[in-house]
Amino acid sequence: MIVEATATGAGTFYHGLYGGAVSQRRAHGKNRGAVGEQLLDPFGNEDAVHTFRSWIDFGGKLEVDLGFGRGGFLVEQASRTRESRWVGFEVRTRLCMEVMDRLNRQGISNVRIIQADARPIVDQFFPVGSISHFYVGFPDPWWKKKHHKRRIFSPEFVHTLHSKLTATGSVILRTDVTDYAQNVREVFNAHGGFDTQVVTPDELVPTDRERRCADFGLPVSRLRFTKKGCL
Ligand SMILES: C[S@@+](CC[C@H](N)C(=O)[O-])C[C@H]1O[C@@H](n2cnc3c(N)ncnc32)[C@H](O)[C@@H]1O
């Protein structure tokens, strides 16, 4: 489902990629499961896909936040960079609706929210060479071996990210799991098309999880994977 910030307040209709308009009340109410059902067919509403493709094809910077959670980074960063367009992915309905409400309340219109697993959608709906940055804040590490396939940074997805980035584009990872940071680094190194740099905290608006790590004094790894030849 693509959710469009319209700043029109209550009663706003969210236009789903997968099945048309979904009212805010329905999304919050006991029929919420029906919203999930509408995610099943990514080609169920070609008009919505067409509108989305036109919206991202605007000639300026396109930024993507993969798994925005409570949306602290997405909302603040999009508000600071109104000339860019932002696409946020999140699988959880409640978080999508909460962030949607905040965007509307604050009149931030340069964001589209896609409630879906980001991996196939990034692959299918974004043109090659179109995205300036992918931001991934505190991805789930999925420790158990049988769950490794759920990790967002699979070799296949890293290949997809490389192809979707602009020539000077990069992927920015933040995580409080040191071993996972190392694992992601190895996946990017194995791809061979990226250079890795450490990012300092003051370069980025913090995510919600990052603020909590700071409150508890937990260390955070911040890595930027830049397309080779762009340094
Ligand atoms: C640990 S939270 C971090 C949220 C936020 N980025 C932050 O740093 O505060 C990870 C979020 O990513 C979402 N997520 C996990 N896998 C995803 C996927 N494949 N596509 C979209 N969202 C995903 C989860 O639902 C969760 O809200």
Side-chain angles (χ1 to χ4, degrees):
M1 178 176 64
I2 289 181
V3 181
E4 184 172 354
T6 61
T8 54
T12 296
F13 274 75
Y14 301 135
H15 295 278
L17 237 194
Y18 310 102
V22 179
S23 77
Q24 185 174 4
R25 184 181 304 169
R26 184 177 173 199
H28 280 298
K30 63 181 178 183
N31 289 330
R32 199 168 65 194
V35 176
E37 283 167 24
Q38 291 180 309
L39 301 178
L40 290 176
D41 177 10
F43 303 103
N45 186 335
E46 286 182 15
D47 284 349
V49 175
H50 181 74
T51 302
F52 176 70
R53 286 189 199 277
S54 303
W55 187 81
I56 60 175
D57 182 22
F58 75 113
K61 274 192 175 177
L62 187 59
E63 311 276 9
V64 175
D65 188 1
L66 302 171
F68 56 75
R70 296 174 65 83
F73 167 75
L74 176 63
V75 172
E76 176 63 26
Q77 192 66 60
S79 148
R80 291 187 190 186
T81 54
R82 306 265 180 155
E83 70 288 357
S84 301
R85 291 193 175 174
W86 286 79
V87 179
F89 285 90
E90 175 53 58
V91 290
R92 291 155 70 187
T93 304
R94 181 180 58 79
L95 297 176
C96 287
M97 296 309 160
E98 284 176 9
V99 171
M100 192 67 246
D101 287 346
R102 280 168 60 199
L103 291 167
N104 281 330
R105 275 202 309 275
Q106 296 181 34
I108 300 168
S109 59
N110 57 330
V111 181
R112 294 293 181 272
I113 289 175
I114 303 182
Q115 188 204 343
D117 179 347
R119 292 168 294 181
I121 305 295
V122 168
D123 189 27
Q124 291 169 45
F125 292 130
F126 291 89
V128 166
S130 64
I131 295 168
S132 294
H133 302 98
F134 287 100
Y135 295 91
V136 189
F138 299 82
D140 303 314
W142 296 111
W143 288 118
K144 288 183 184 171
K145 195 160 186 184
K146 66 179 179 182
H147 292 153
H148 280 190
K149 60 180 179 291
R150 298 182 190 172
R151 288 179 168 176
I152 196 158
F153 289 115
S154 64
E156 295 75 23
F157 193 54
V158 168
H159 178 79
T160 298
L161 295 175
H162 189 269
S163 81
K164 303 297 178 180
L165 285 170
T166 64
T168 56
S170 60
V171 179
I172 291 127
L173 165 72
R174 285 174 266 191
T175 178
D176 52 349
V177 184
T178 312
D179 288 355
Y180 186 56
Q182 183 56 28
N183 171 274
V184 173
R185 212 172 173 148
E186 284 163 14
V187 177
F188 276 84
N189 284 345
H191 177 278
F194 293 91
D195 289 309
T196 306
Q197 302 133 299
V198 173
V199 183
T200 57
D202 53 334
E203 288 181 58
L204 297 167
V205 169
T207 73
D208 299 285
R209 174 85 174 230
E210 196 170 7
R211 287 184 199 280
R212 291 214 357 241
C213 288
D215 290 345
F216 288 99
L218 296 173
V220 171
S221 302
R222 299 173 185 84
L223 296 172
R224 176 185 286 119
F225 304 100
T226 308
K227 264 193 170 180
K228 267 195 172 149
C230 305
L231 293 177

